Amino acid sequence: MAIRMLYFAWVRERVGTGEELVDPPASVATVAALIDWLAAGSPTHAAAFAERGRLRAAVDQVFVSLDAPIEGAREVALFPPVTGG
Amino acid sequence: MIRVVVSPANIDLAAEMALAEANGVGAVATFTGLVRADPGVVGDVETLELEHYPGATEAALEGLACEAQTRWSLASVTVVHRVGPMRPGERIVFVAASSRHRGAALDACAFLIDRLKTDAPFWKRETRSGTAAWVEAREADDDAARRWT
């Protein structure tokens, strides 16, 4: 099932878009696996996601760790550590 | 009462205070964050731009407000955060907690701003001498948020 990817801050700038629809195979089961699959398919994504330790994620708008499952997810967001306030 | 606002508009302190004081309680604690010029090697901050995650940001702030109401006996919680471009000296965030007495109001106010820094999806980009750069997260903010867990 297609997943709506959202990117924010420098992740958005490095990917080159703030939003895209992707359709990973069923074997892609976690956020980390999704990042690997996106990176394998495009050098731009691979460069954007190179610093894995600086990436944070949300699945359907809930903050999760990168090992969180994505089964049934409609929206996955990737972004740097937050800096509000 | 929970009031959460994420908006590019200037933060109207008088209007927010009037709302917080309208609950007939004895104590209102507030925190106001301003954009710092923060002089550095490449000059002062000229503009600060705030990006957010529409929907998720508001949900995160409402979640924090609800958590504050669970932890303390509060009549109201206000969280107002500005987004978009702003300049040094302008208000970026306003937090208020009202309660019967000062203890709960002061603690809840500190909890809200500490946790907002680490739990709400906002990203700052500052421009100095015409060059924009994303602001890095600070470990001191993580430490401040952890004291409430």
Side-chain angles (χ1 to χ4, degrees), chain A residues 6 8-10 12-13 54 58 61 63 75 77 79-85, chain B residues 51-53 55-56 81 116-120 122-125 134-137:
Chain A
L6 296 179
F8 294 98
W10 55 255
R12 170 178 56 73
E13 290 182 338
R54 296 177 69 207
Q61 307 207 341
F63 281 73
E75 183 175 292
F79 43 82
V82 301
T83 55
Chain B
E51 181 169 326
H52 75 299
Y53 181 171
H81 206 297
L116 180 155
K117 290 242 168 205
T118 57
D119 291 20
F122 291 102
W123 299 274
K124 289 190 180 113
R125 182 167 63 171
W134 293 99
V135 173
E136 293 288 332

PDB file of all heavy atoms in Angstrom, chain A residues 6 8-10 12-13 54 58 61 63 75 77 79-85, chain B residues 51-53 55-56 81 116-120 122-125 134-137:
ATOM      1  N   LEU A   6       6.784  12.344   4.242  1.00  0.00           N
ATOM      2  CA  LEU A   6       6.948  13.784   4.474  1.00  0.00           C
ATOM      3  C   LEU A   6       8.366  14.022   4.984  1.00  0.00           C
ATOM      4  O   LEU A   6       8.884  13.230   5.785  1.00  0.00           O
ATOM      5  CB  LEU A   6       5.946  14.281   5.520  1.00  0.00           C
ATOM      6  CG  LEU A   6       4.463  14.205   5.173  1.00  0.00           C
ATOM      7  CD1 LEU A   6       3.635  14.711   6.349  1.00  0.00           C
ATOM      8  CD2 LEU A   6       4.146  15.020   3.928  1.00  0.00           C
ATOM      9  N   PHE A   8      11.115  17.134   6.509  1.00  0.00           N
ATOM     10  CA  PHE A   8      11.167  18.481   7.072  1.00  0.00           C
ATOM     11  C   PHE A   8      12.611  18.955   7.250  1.00  0.00           C
ATOM     12  O   PHE A   8      13.533  18.141   7.373  1.00  0.00           O
ATOM     13  CB  PHE A   8      10.438  18.536   8.417  1.00  0.00           C
ATOM     14  CG  PHE A   8       8.962  18.294   8.289  1.00  0.00           C
ATOM     15  CD1 PHE A   8       8.415  17.042   8.529  1.00  0.00           C
ATOM     16  CD2 PHE A   8       8.104  19.313   7.874  1.00  0.00           C
ATOM     17  CE1 PHE A   8       7.057  16.813   8.382  1.00  0.00           C
ATOM     18  CE2 PHE A   8       6.749  19.087   7.725  1.00  0.00           C
ATOM     19  CZ  PHE A   8       6.225  17.840   7.981  1.00  0.00           C
ATOM     20  N   ALA A   9      12.755  20.291   7.280  1.00  0.00           N
ATOM     21  CA  ALA A   9      14.036  20.967   7.548  1.00  0.00           C
ATOM     22  C   ALA A   9      15.105  20.484   6.557  1.00  0.00           C
ATOM     23  O   ALA A   9      14.823  20.367   5.370  1.00  0.00           O
ATOM     24  CB  ALA A   9      14.430  20.784   9.013  1.00  0.00           C
ATOM     25  N   TRP A  10      16.333  20.182   7.046  1.00  0.00           N
ATOM     26  CA  TRP A  10      17.391  19.841   6.074  1.00  0.00           C
ATOM     27  C   TRP A  10      17.150  18.495   5.394  1.00  0.00           C
ATOM     28  O   TRP A  10      17.666  18.258   4.306  1.00  0.00           O
ATOM     29  CB  TRP A  10      18.800  19.948   6.652  1.00  0.00           C
ATOM     30  CG  TRP A  10      19.119  19.167   7.900  1.00  0.00           C
ATOM     31  CD1 TRP A  10      19.243  19.669   9.162  1.00  0.00           C
ATOM     32  CD2 TRP A  10      19.397  17.756   8.007  1.00  0.00           C
ATOM     33  NE1 TRP A  10      19.559  18.661  10.043  1.00  0.00           N
ATOM     34  CE2 TRP A  10      19.678  17.488   9.365  1.00  0.00           C
ATOM     35  CE3 TRP A  10      19.443  16.698   7.088  1.00  0.00           C
ATOM     36  CZ2 TRP A  10      19.983  16.203   9.826  1.00  0.00           C
ATOM     37  CZ3 TRP A  10      19.751  15.417   7.553  1.00  0.00           C
ATOM     38  CH2 TRP A  10      20.018  15.185   8.906  1.00  0.00           C
ATOM     39  N   ARG A  12      14.269  17.620   4.152  1.00  0.00           N
ATOM     40  CA  ARG A  12      13.464  18.071   3.007  1.00  0.00           C
ATOM     41  C   ARG A  12      14.353  18.696   1.925  1.00  0.00           C
ATOM     42  O   ARG A  12      14.211  18.383   0.743  1.00  0.00           O
ATOM     43  CB  ARG A  12      12.415  19.084   3.496  1.00  0.00           C
ATOM     44  CG  ARG A  12      11.679  19.821   2.381  1.00  0.00           C
ATOM     45  CD  ARG A  12      10.620  20.775   2.931  1.00  0.00           C
ATOM     46  NE  ARG A  12      11.141  21.748   3.885  1.00  0.00           N
ATOM     47  CZ  ARG A  12      11.898  22.796   3.554  1.00  0.00           C
ATOM     48  NH1 ARG A  12      12.209  23.009   2.294  1.00  0.00           N
ATOM     49  NH2 ARG A  12      12.343  23.614   4.484  1.00  0.00           N
ATOM     50  N   GLU A  13      15.268  19.555   2.379  1.00  0.00           N
ATOM     51  CA  GLU A  13      16.144  20.223   1.403  1.00  0.00           C
ATOM     52  C   GLU A  13      17.029  19.213   0.670  1.00  0.00           C
ATOM     53  O   GLU A  13      17.234  19.327  -0.536  1.00  0.00           O
ATOM     54  CB  GLU A  13      17.024  21.260   2.109  1.00  0.00           C
ATOM     55  CG  GLU A  13      16.235  22.461   2.590  1.00  0.00           C
ATOM     56  CD  GLU A  13      17.118  23.516   3.240  1.00  0.00           C
ATOM     57  OE1 GLU A  13      18.239  23.177   3.692  1.00  0.00           O
ATOM     58  OE2 GLU A  13      16.679  24.665   3.309  1.00  0.00           O
ATOM     59  N   ARG A  54      21.178  11.130  12.948  1.00  0.00           N
ATOM     60  CA  ARG A  54      20.572  12.462  13.078  1.00  0.00           C
ATOM     61  C   ARG A  54      19.149  12.479  12.529  1.00  0.00           C
ATOM     62  O   ARG A  54      18.553  13.545  12.405  1.00  0.00           O
ATOM     63  CB  ARG A  54      21.423  13.502  12.360  1.00  0.00           C
ATOM     64  CG  ARG A  54      22.815  13.660  12.979  1.00  0.00           C
ATOM     65  CD  ARG A  54      23.646  14.653  12.194  1.00  0.00           C
ATOM     66  NE  ARG A  54      23.137  16.017  12.342  1.00  0.00           N
ATOM     67  CZ  ARG A  54      23.296  16.967  11.423  1.00  0.00           C
ATOM     68  NH1 ARG A  54      23.902  16.694  10.293  1.00  0.00           N
ATOM     69  NH2 ARG A  54      22.827  18.184  11.637  1.00  0.00           N
ATOM     70  N   ALA A  58       8.297   9.995  12.441  1.00  0.00           N
ATOM     71  CA  ALA A  58       6.936   9.896  12.961  1.00  0.00           C
ATOM     72  C   ALA A  58       6.153   8.997  12.006  1.00  0.00           C
ATOM     73  O   ALA A  58       6.321   9.084  10.789  1.00  0.00           O
ATOM     74  CB  ALA A  58       6.276  11.267  13.049  1.00  0.00           C
ATOM     75  N   GLN A  61       1.914  10.539  12.257  1.00  0.00           N
ATOM     76  CA  GLN A  61       2.013  11.727  13.102  1.00  0.00           C
ATOM     77  C   GLN A  61       2.357  11.430  14.560  1.00  0.00           C
ATOM     78  O   GLN A  61       2.253  12.315  15.411  1.00  0.00           O
ATOM     79  CB  GLN A  61       0.743  12.580  13.016  1.00  0.00           C
ATOM     80  CG  GLN A  61       0.373  12.922  11.559  1.00  0.00           C
ATOM     81  CD  GLN A  61      -0.406  14.208  11.401  1.00  0.00           C
ATOM     82  OE1 GLN A  61      -0.984  14.700  12.357  1.00  0.00           O
ATOM     83  NE2 GLN A  61      -0.406  14.753  10.205  1.00  0.00           N
ATOM     84  N   PHE A  63       5.504  10.311  17.074  1.00  0.00           N
ATOM     85  CA  PHE A  63       6.959  10.144  17.128  1.00  0.00           C
ATOM     86  C   PHE A  63       7.300   8.698  17.464  1.00  0.00           C
ATOM     87  O   PHE A  63       6.749   8.145  18.411  1.00  0.00           O
ATOM     88  CB  PHE A  63       7.549  11.034  18.213  1.00  0.00           C
ATOM     89  CG  PHE A  63       7.699  12.471  17.820  1.00  0.00           C
ATOM     90  CD1 PHE A  63       6.588  13.287  17.712  1.00  0.00           C
ATOM     91  CD2 PHE A  63       8.941  13.013  17.559  1.00  0.00           C
ATOM     92  CE1 PHE A  63       6.717  14.614  17.351  1.00  0.00           C
ATOM     93  CE2 PHE A  63       9.080  14.341  17.194  1.00  0.00           C
ATOM     94  CZ  PHE A  63       7.963  15.138  17.090  1.00  0.00           C
ATOM     95  N   GLU A  75       1.209   7.485   6.616  1.00  0.00           N
ATOM     96  CA  GLU A  75       2.100   8.639   6.514  1.00  0.00           C
ATOM     97  C   GLU A  75       3.342   8.417   7.380  1.00  0.00           C
ATOM     98  O   GLU A  75       3.210   8.078   8.550  1.00  0.00           O
ATOM     99  CB  GLU A  75       1.350   9.885   7.004  1.00  0.00           C
ATOM    100  CG  GLU A  75       2.115  11.182   6.890  1.00  0.00           C
ATOM    101  CD  GLU A  75       1.233  12.380   7.296  1.00  0.00           C
ATOM    102  OE1 GLU A  75       0.275  12.684   6.568  1.00  0.00           O
ATOM    103  OE2 GLU A  75       1.518  12.976   8.343  1.00  0.00           O
ATOM    104  N   ALA A  77       6.978  10.388   8.378  1.00  0.00           N
ATOM    105  CA  ALA A  77       7.744  11.633   8.277  1.00  0.00           C
ATOM    106  C   ALA A  77       9.167  11.394   8.761  1.00  0.00           C
ATOM    107  O   ALA A  77       9.386  10.689   9.747  1.00  0.00           O
ATOM    108  CB  ALA A  77       7.083  12.727   9.116  1.00  0.00           C
ATOM    109  N   PHE A  79      12.812  13.587   9.695  1.00  0.00           N
ATOM    110  CA  PHE A  79      13.240  14.958   9.991  1.00  0.00           C
ATOM    111  C   PHE A  79      14.417  14.941  10.969  1.00  0.00           C
ATOM    112  O   PHE A  79      14.686  13.917  11.596  1.00  0.00           O
ATOM    113  CB  PHE A  79      12.058  15.753  10.571  1.00  0.00           C
ATOM    114  CG  PHE A  79      11.232  15.010  11.585  1.00  0.00           C
ATOM    115  CD1 PHE A  79      11.648  14.933  12.897  1.00  0.00           C
ATOM    116  CD2 PHE A  79      10.046  14.369  11.220  1.00  0.00           C
ATOM    117  CE1 PHE A  79      10.883  14.247  13.840  1.00  0.00           C
ATOM    118  CE2 PHE A  79       9.282  13.677  12.155  1.00  0.00           C
ATOM    119  CZ  PHE A  79       9.697  13.618  13.464  1.00  0.00           C
ATOM    120  N   PRO A  80      15.105  16.074  11.132  1.00  0.00           N
ATOM    121  CA  PRO A  80      16.191  16.151  12.118  1.00  0.00           C
ATOM    122  C   PRO A  80      15.617  16.300  13.528  1.00  0.00           C
ATOM    123  O   PRO A  80      14.417  16.561  13.685  1.00  0.00           O
ATOM    124  CB  PRO A  80      16.933  17.443  11.741  1.00  0.00           C
ATOM    125  CG  PRO A  80      16.283  17.982  10.519  1.00  0.00           C
ATOM    126  CD  PRO A  80      14.962  17.333  10.375  1.00  0.00           C
ATOM    127  N   PRO A  81      16.477  16.179  14.565  1.00  0.00           N
ATOM    128  CA  PRO A  81      16.015  16.470  15.931  1.00  0.00           C
ATOM    129  C   PRO A  81      15.360  17.854  15.974  1.00  0.00           C
ATOM    130  O   PRO A  81      15.819  18.775  15.293  1.00  0.00           O
ATOM    131  CB  PRO A  81      17.309  16.452  16.744  1.00  0.00           C
ATOM    132  CG  PRO A  81      18.211  15.522  15.992  1.00  0.00           C
ATOM    133  CD  PRO A  81      17.880  15.747  14.540  1.00  0.00           C
ATOM    134  N   VAL A  82      14.288  17.974  16.777  1.00  0.00           N
ATOM    135  CA  VAL A  82      13.492  19.210  16.753  1.00  0.00           C
ATOM    136  C   VAL A  82      14.189  20.328  17.523  1.00  0.00           C
ATOM    137  O   VAL A  82      14.987  20.078  18.442  1.00  0.00           O
ATOM    138  CB  VAL A  82      12.073  18.953  17.318  1.00  0.00           C
ATOM    139  CG1 VAL A  82      11.370  17.893  16.487  1.00  0.00           C
ATOM    140  CG2 VAL A  82      12.129  18.568  18.783  1.00  0.00           C
ATOM    141  N   THR A  83      13.886  21.575  17.127  1.00  0.00           N
ATOM    142  CA  THR A  83      14.554  22.745  17.729  1.00  0.00           C
ATOM    143  C   THR A  83      13.581  23.904  17.948  1.00  0.00           C
ATOM    144  O   THR A  83      13.885  25.052  17.634  1.00  0.00           O
ATOM    145  CB  THR A  83      15.719  23.225  16.831  1.00  0.00           C
ATOM    146  OG1 THR A  83      15.205  23.467  15.500  1.00  0.00           O
ATOM    147  CG2 THR A  83      16.825  22.216  16.743  1.00  0.00           C
ATOM    148  N   GLY A  84      12.384  23.595  18.479  1.00  0.00           N
ATOM    149  CA  GLY A  84      11.404  24.662  18.709  1.00  0.00           C
ATOM    150  C   GLY A  84      11.625  25.382  20.028  1.00  0.00           C
ATOM    151  O   GLY A  84      12.604  25.149  20.731  1.00  0.00           O
ATOM    152  N   GLY A  85      10.676  26.232  20.348  1.00  0.00           N
ATOM    153  CA  GLY A  85      10.679  26.933  21.630  1.00  0.00           C
ATOM    154  C   GLY A  85      11.506  28.204  21.632  1.00  0.00           C
ATOM    155  O   GLY A  85      12.190  28.494  20.679  1.00  0.00           O
TER     156      GLY A  85
ATOM    157  N   GLU B  51       9.993  26.201  10.889  1.00  0.00           N
ATOM    158  CA  GLU B  51       9.209  25.247  10.097  1.00  0.00           C
ATOM    159  C   GLU B  51       8.497  24.315  11.072  1.00  0.00           C
ATOM    160  O   GLU B  51       9.003  24.049  12.161  1.00  0.00           O
ATOM    161  CB  GLU B  51      10.180  24.461   9.199  1.00  0.00           C
ATOM    162  CG  GLU B  51       9.506  23.440   8.284  1.00  0.00           C
ATOM    163  CD  GLU B  51      10.479  22.890   7.227  1.00  0.00           C
ATOM    164  OE1 GLU B  51      11.359  23.646   6.760  1.00  0.00           O
ATOM    165  OE2 GLU B  51      10.348  21.705   6.888  1.00  0.00           O
ATOM    166  N   HIS B  52       7.317  23.826  10.708  1.00  0.00           N
ATOM    167  CA  HIS B  52       6.636  22.859  11.586  1.00  0.00           C
ATOM    168  C   HIS B  52       5.950  21.794  10.753  1.00  0.00           C
ATOM    169  O   HIS B  52       6.011  21.821   9.522  1.00  0.00           O
ATOM    170  CB  HIS B  52       5.659  23.568  12.530  1.00  0.00           C
ATOM    171  CG  HIS B  52       4.388  24.036  11.891  1.00  0.00           C
ATOM    172  ND1 HIS B  52       4.349  24.955  10.865  1.00  0.00           N
ATOM    173  CD2 HIS B  52       3.086  23.710  12.139  1.00  0.00           C
ATOM    174  CE1 HIS B  52       3.087  25.181  10.512  1.00  0.00           C
ATOM    175  NE2 HIS B  52       2.301  24.442  11.266  1.00  0.00           N
ATOM    176  N   TYR B  53       5.356  20.837  11.430  1.00  0.00           N
ATOM    177  CA  TYR B  53       4.703  19.685  10.804  1.00  0.00           C
ATOM    178  C   TYR B  53       3.205  19.868  11.043  1.00  0.00           C
ATOM    179  O   TYR B  53       2.688  19.474  12.085  1.00  0.00           O
ATOM    180  CB  TYR B  53       5.244  18.425  11.471  1.00  0.00           C
ATOM    181  CG  TYR B  53       4.752  17.069  10.993  1.00  0.00           C
ATOM    182  CD1 TYR B  53       5.375  15.916  11.450  1.00  0.00           C
ATOM    183  CD2 TYR B  53       3.696  16.919  10.104  1.00  0.00           C
ATOM    184  CE1 TYR B  53       4.967  14.654  11.048  1.00  0.00           C
ATOM    185  CE2 TYR B  53       3.274  15.664   9.697  1.00  0.00           C
ATOM    186  CZ  TYR B  53       3.915  14.535  10.169  1.00  0.00           C
ATOM    187  OH  TYR B  53       3.487  13.288   9.782  1.00  0.00           O
ATOM    188  N   GLY B  55      -0.508  19.775  11.777  1.00  0.00           N
ATOM    189  CA  GLY B  55      -1.299  18.657  12.295  1.00  0.00           C
ATOM    190  C   GLY B  55      -0.563  17.978  13.438  1.00  0.00           C
ATOM    191  O   GLY B  55      -1.033  17.962  14.577  1.00  0.00           O
ATOM    192  N   ALA B  56       0.624  17.449  13.151  1.00  0.00           N
ATOM    193  CA  ALA B  56       1.384  16.746  14.186  1.00  0.00           C
ATOM    194  C   ALA B  56       1.895  17.717  15.246  1.00  0.00           C
ATOM    195  O   ALA B  56       1.968  17.371  16.430  1.00  0.00           O
ATOM    196  CB  ALA B  56       2.560  15.990  13.562  1.00  0.00           C
ATOM    197  N   HIS B  81       2.704  29.170  19.714  1.00  0.00           N
ATOM    198  CA  HIS B  81       4.018  29.118  19.072  1.00  0.00           C
ATOM    199  C   HIS B  81       3.935  29.768  17.701  1.00  0.00           C
ATOM    200  O   HIS B  81       3.053  29.458  16.920  1.00  0.00           O
ATOM    201  CB  HIS B  81       4.491  27.669  18.933  1.00  0.00           C
ATOM    202  CG  HIS B  81       5.989  27.541  18.882  1.00  0.00           C
ATOM    203  ND1 HIS B  81       6.745  28.090  17.869  1.00  0.00           N
ATOM    204  CD2 HIS B  81       6.860  26.939  19.732  1.00  0.00           C
ATOM    205  CE1 HIS B  81       8.021  27.821  18.105  1.00  0.00           C
ATOM    206  NE2 HIS B  81       8.123  27.133  19.225  1.00  0.00           N
ATOM    207  N   LEU B 116       8.211  21.072  25.445  1.00  0.00           N
ATOM    208  CA  LEU B 116       7.939  21.593  24.103  1.00  0.00           C
ATOM    209  C   LEU B 116       9.214  21.586  23.263  1.00  0.00           C
ATOM    210  O   LEU B 116       9.202  21.271  22.079  1.00  0.00           O
ATOM    211  CB  LEU B 116       7.379  23.010  24.237  1.00  0.00           C
ATOM    212  CG  LEU B 116       7.006  23.798  22.979  1.00  0.00           C
ATOM    213  CD1 LEU B 116       5.953  24.841  23.330  1.00  0.00           C
ATOM    214  CD2 LEU B 116       8.179  24.474  22.321  1.00  0.00           C
ATOM    215  N   LYS B 117      10.330  21.923  23.926  1.00  0.00           N
ATOM    216  CA  LYS B 117      11.616  22.018  23.211  1.00  0.00           C
ATOM    217  C   LYS B 117      12.041  20.695  22.597  1.00  0.00           C
ATOM    218  O   LYS B 117      12.751  20.683  21.595  1.00  0.00           O
ATOM    219  CB  LYS B 117      12.706  22.489  24.180  1.00  0.00           C
ATOM    220  CG  LYS B 117      12.549  23.929  24.597  1.00  0.00           C
ATOM    221  CD  LYS B 117      13.749  24.705  24.144  1.00  0.00           C
ATOM    222  CE  LYS B 117      13.539  26.197  24.276  1.00  0.00           C
ATOM    223  NZ  LYS B 117      14.405  26.918  23.327  1.00  0.00           N
ATOM    224  N   THR B 118      11.667  19.577  23.212  1.00  0.00           N
ATOM    225  CA  THR B 118      12.139  18.278  22.718  1.00  0.00           C
ATOM    226  C   THR B 118      11.033  17.444  22.085  1.00  0.00           C
ATOM    227  O   THR B 118      11.315  16.506  21.349  1.00  0.00           O
ATOM    228  CB  THR B 118      12.750  17.444  23.863  1.00  0.00           C
ATOM    229  OG1 THR B 118      11.772  17.292  24.897  1.00  0.00           O
ATOM    230  CG2 THR B 118      13.982  18.119  24.441  1.00  0.00           C
ATOM    231  N   ASP B 119       9.761  17.764  22.363  1.00  0.00           N
ATOM    232  CA  ASP B 119       8.668  16.874  21.948  1.00  0.00           C
ATOM    233  C   ASP B 119       7.808  17.406  20.809  1.00  0.00           C
ATOM    234  O   ASP B 119       6.970  16.670  20.287  1.00  0.00           O
ATOM    235  CB  ASP B 119       7.732  16.594  23.134  1.00  0.00           C
ATOM    236  CG  ASP B 119       8.393  15.740  24.196  1.00  0.00           C
ATOM    237  OD1 ASP B 119       9.635  15.686  24.213  1.00  0.00           O
ATOM    238  OD2 ASP B 119       7.671  15.121  24.992  1.00  0.00           O
ATOM    239  N   ALA B 120       7.956  18.678  20.444  1.00  0.00           N
ATOM    240  CA  ALA B 120       7.075  19.234  19.407  1.00  0.00           C
ATOM    241  C   ALA B 120       7.866  19.474  18.126  1.00  0.00           C
ATOM    242  O   ALA B 120       8.973  20.019  18.176  1.00  0.00           O
ATOM    243  CB  ALA B 120       6.443  20.531  19.899  1.00  0.00           C
ATOM    244  N   PHE B 122       9.167  21.293  15.578  1.00  0.00           N
ATOM    245  CA  PHE B 122       9.506  22.611  15.025  1.00  0.00           C
ATOM    246  C   PHE B 122      10.992  22.565  14.658  1.00  0.00           C
ATOM    247  O   PHE B 122      11.778  21.898  15.350  1.00  0.00           O
ATOM    248  CB  PHE B 122       9.353  23.717  16.090  1.00  0.00           C
ATOM    249  CG  PHE B 122       7.956  24.016  16.503  1.00  0.00           C
ATOM    250  CD1 PHE B 122       7.470  23.524  17.710  1.00  0.00           C
ATOM    251  CD2 PHE B 122       7.129  24.821  15.733  1.00  0.00           C
ATOM    252  CE1 PHE B 122       6.181  23.823  18.135  1.00  0.00           C
ATOM    253  CE2 PHE B 122       5.842  25.126  16.149  1.00  0.00           C
ATOM    254  CZ  PHE B 122       5.363  24.625  17.351  1.00  0.00           C
ATOM    255  N   TRP B 123      11.355  23.292  13.623  1.00  0.00           N
ATOM    256  CA  TRP B 123      12.770  23.378  13.242  1.00  0.00           C
ATOM    257  C   TRP B 123      13.110  24.821  12.946  1.00  0.00           C
ATOM    258  O   TRP B 123      12.406  25.491  12.185  1.00  0.00           O
ATOM    259  CB  TRP B 123      13.063  22.505  12.022  1.00  0.00           C
ATOM    260  CG  TRP B 123      12.775  21.074  12.286  1.00  0.00           C
ATOM    261  CD1 TRP B 123      13.618  20.156  12.847  1.00  0.00           C
ATOM    262  CD2 TRP B 123      11.533  20.382  12.045  1.00  0.00           C
ATOM    263  NE1 TRP B 123      12.980  18.948  12.972  1.00  0.00           N
ATOM    264  CE2 TRP B 123      11.700  19.051  12.483  1.00  0.00           C
ATOM    265  CE3 TRP B 123      10.298  20.765  11.507  1.00  0.00           C
ATOM    266  CZ2 TRP B 123      10.690  18.105  12.388  1.00  0.00           C
ATOM    267  CZ3 TRP B 123       9.283  19.827  11.410  1.00  0.00           C
ATOM    268  CH2 TRP B 123       9.488  18.514  11.848  1.00  0.00           C
ATOM    269  N   LYS B 124      14.253  25.278  13.535  1.00  0.00           N
ATOM    270  CA  LYS B 124      14.682  26.670  13.362  1.00  0.00           C
ATOM    271  C   LYS B 124      15.769  26.762  12.295  1.00  0.00           C
ATOM    272  O   LYS B 124      16.721  25.966  12.306  1.00  0.00           O
ATOM    273  CB  LYS B 124      15.308  27.182  14.664  1.00  0.00           C
ATOM    274  CG  LYS B 124      14.344  27.421  15.794  1.00  0.00           C
ATOM    275  CD  LYS B 124      15.065  28.144  16.929  1.00  0.00           C
ATOM    276  CE  LYS B 124      14.141  28.407  18.093  1.00  0.00           C
ATOM    277  NZ  LYS B 124      14.500  27.634  19.289  1.00  0.00           N
ATOM    278  N   ARG B 125      15.640  27.755  11.446  1.00  0.00           N
ATOM    279  CA  ARG B 125      16.712  28.069  10.495  1.00  0.00           C
ATOM    280  C   ARG B 125      17.049  29.540  10.640  1.00  0.00           C
ATOM    281  O   ARG B 125      16.180  30.400  10.499  1.00  0.00           O
ATOM    282  CB  ARG B 125      16.279  27.760   9.072  1.00  0.00           C
ATOM    283  CG  ARG B 125      17.409  28.042   8.071  1.00  0.00           C
ATOM    284  CD  ARG B 125      17.141  27.461   6.725  1.00  0.00           C
ATOM    285  NE  ARG B 125      15.972  28.038   6.115  1.00  0.00           N
ATOM    286  CZ  ARG B 125      15.609  27.827   4.849  1.00  0.00           C
ATOM    287  NH1 ARG B 125      16.335  27.037   4.095  1.00  0.00           N
ATOM    288  NH2 ARG B 125      14.536  28.391   4.369  1.00  0.00           N
ATOM    289  N   TRP B 134      20.497  25.590   9.403  1.00  0.00           N
ATOM    290  CA  TRP B 134      19.579  24.965  10.362  1.00  0.00           C
ATOM    291  C   TRP B 134      20.223  24.944  11.738  1.00  0.00           C
ATOM    292  O   TRP B 134      21.410  24.640  11.860  1.00  0.00           O
ATOM    293  CB  TRP B 134      19.224  23.546   9.915  1.00  0.00           C
ATOM    294  CG  TRP B 134      18.413  23.560   8.671  1.00  0.00           C
ATOM    295  CD1 TRP B 134      18.859  23.365   7.393  1.00  0.00           C
ATOM    296  CD2 TRP B 134      17.013  23.852   8.566  1.00  0.00           C
ATOM    297  NE1 TRP B 134      17.821  23.520   6.499  1.00  0.00           N
ATOM    298  CE2 TRP B 134      16.679  23.804   7.186  1.00  0.00           C
ATOM    299  CE3 TRP B 134      16.012  24.149   9.477  1.00  0.00           C
ATOM    300  CZ2 TRP B 134      15.379  24.047   6.729  1.00  0.00           C
ATOM    301  CZ3 TRP B 134      14.728  24.383   9.022  1.00  0.00           C
ATOM    302  CH2 TRP B 134      14.420  24.324   7.655  1.00  0.00           C
ATOM    303  N   VAL B 135      19.441  25.252  12.751  1.00  0.00           N
ATOM    304  CA  VAL B 135      19.939  25.264  14.133  1.00  0.00           C
ATOM    305  C   VAL B 135      20.005  23.827  14.641  1.00  0.00           C
ATOM    306  O   VAL B 135      19.095  23.035  14.415  1.00  0.00           O
ATOM    307  CB  VAL B 135      19.002  26.120  15.019  1.00  0.00           C
ATOM    308  CG1 VAL B 135      19.391  26.020  16.483  1.00  0.00           C
ATOM    309  CG2 VAL B 135      19.025  27.574  14.549  1.00  0.00           C
ATOM    310  N   GLU B 136      21.124  23.481  15.295  1.00  0.00           N
ATOM    311  CA  GLU B 136      21.297  22.135  15.846  1.00  0.00           C
ATOM    312  C   GLU B 136      20.566  21.995  17.180  1.00  0.00           C
ATOM    313  O   GLU B 136      20.503  22.958  17.953  1.00  0.00           O
ATOM    314  CB  GLU B 136      22.785  21.842  16.077  1.00  0.00           C
ATOM    315  CG  GLU B 136      23.602  21.756  14.804  1.00  0.00           C
ATOM    316  CD  GLU B 136      23.316  20.488  14.007  1.00  0.00           C
ATOM    317  OE1 GLU B 136      22.936  19.468  14.624  1.00  0.00           O
ATOM    318  OE2 GLU B 136      23.462  20.529  12.768  1.00  0.00           O
ATOM    319  N   ALA B 137      20.058  20.805  17.449  1.00  0.00           N
ATOM    320  CA  ALA B 137      19.427  20.538  18.741  1.00  0.00           C
ATOM    321  C   ALA B 137      20.490  20.601  19.846  1.00  0.00           C
ATOM    322  O   ALA B 137      21.654  20.298  19.609  1.00  0.00           O
ATOM    323  CB  ALA B 137      18.767  19.167  18.718  1.00  0.00           C
TER     324      ALA B 137
END
